[in-house]
Amino acid sequence: TGFERVVFEFDAAGVSYDIQYVEEAIPPSGDPVAIAGGEILQIAMTPASGVDLTGDTPVQTYEGPDRFSPAGSDVILEIVGVEDFENHLVWAIGLDGTPDVAVATLEDPFRLVVDIATD
């Protein structure tokens, strides 16, 4: 009650992150990504990727959608994968307003938890 949660889960610990409100989500191509909502909360993570490049053949580790709208959300209008390039992963959350945000990490497995206030 009082918040909505977005969780990023990783196979290994040691992922650093930067979370901030931005005017536009811009991938390496330079073309802004359209995201529903009046405000954009961007989450940049490194080293992180949806593909494991440690072996001879790349292995897709994230097989979910790159864009979705959570059902029944009060504040989160859309979550969009913006960038997955050279071990730098960026997702953006389109929001209704600029709610308070709390961030935490959890272990076993390593998770980045983003709580977005709904009150």
Side-chain angles (χ1 to χ4, degrees):
T1 302
F3 68 92
E4 294 178 357
R5 177 170 282 177
V6 177
V7 179
F8 298 91
E9 183 175 314
F10 300 92
D11 291 336
V15 175
S16 63
Y17 58 89
D18 179 55
I19 299 176
Q20 60 184 315
Y21 281 102
V22 296
E23 289 187 25
E24 293 181 305
I26 303 176
S29 69
D31 297 324
V33 175
I35 301 172
E39 301 296 333
I40 299 170
L41 183 66
Q42 181 171 281
I43 302 103
M45 299 159 278
T46 190
S49 180
V51 179
D52 182 354
L53 300 172
T54 60
D56 292 336
T57 304
V59 176
Q60 191 77 30
T61 56
Y62 175 71
E63 297 180 357
D66 288 334
R67 179 181 294 271
F68 56 95
S69 300
S73 174
D74 292 328
V75 176
I76 299 172
L77 302 180
E78 189 171 35
I79 301 172
V80 179
V82 174
E83 176 183 343
D84 188 349
F85 184 70
E86 294 185 348
N87 232 7
H88 186 73
L89 186 62
V90 178
W91 281 78
I93 303 172
L95 300 168
D96 181 15
T98 53
D100 290 334
V101 175
V103 180
T105 57
L106 300 173
E107 302 294 329
D108 297 323
F110 182 80
R111 287 156 287 160
L112 176 62
V113 178
V114 181
D115 288 334
I116 300 168
T118 58
D119 296 336

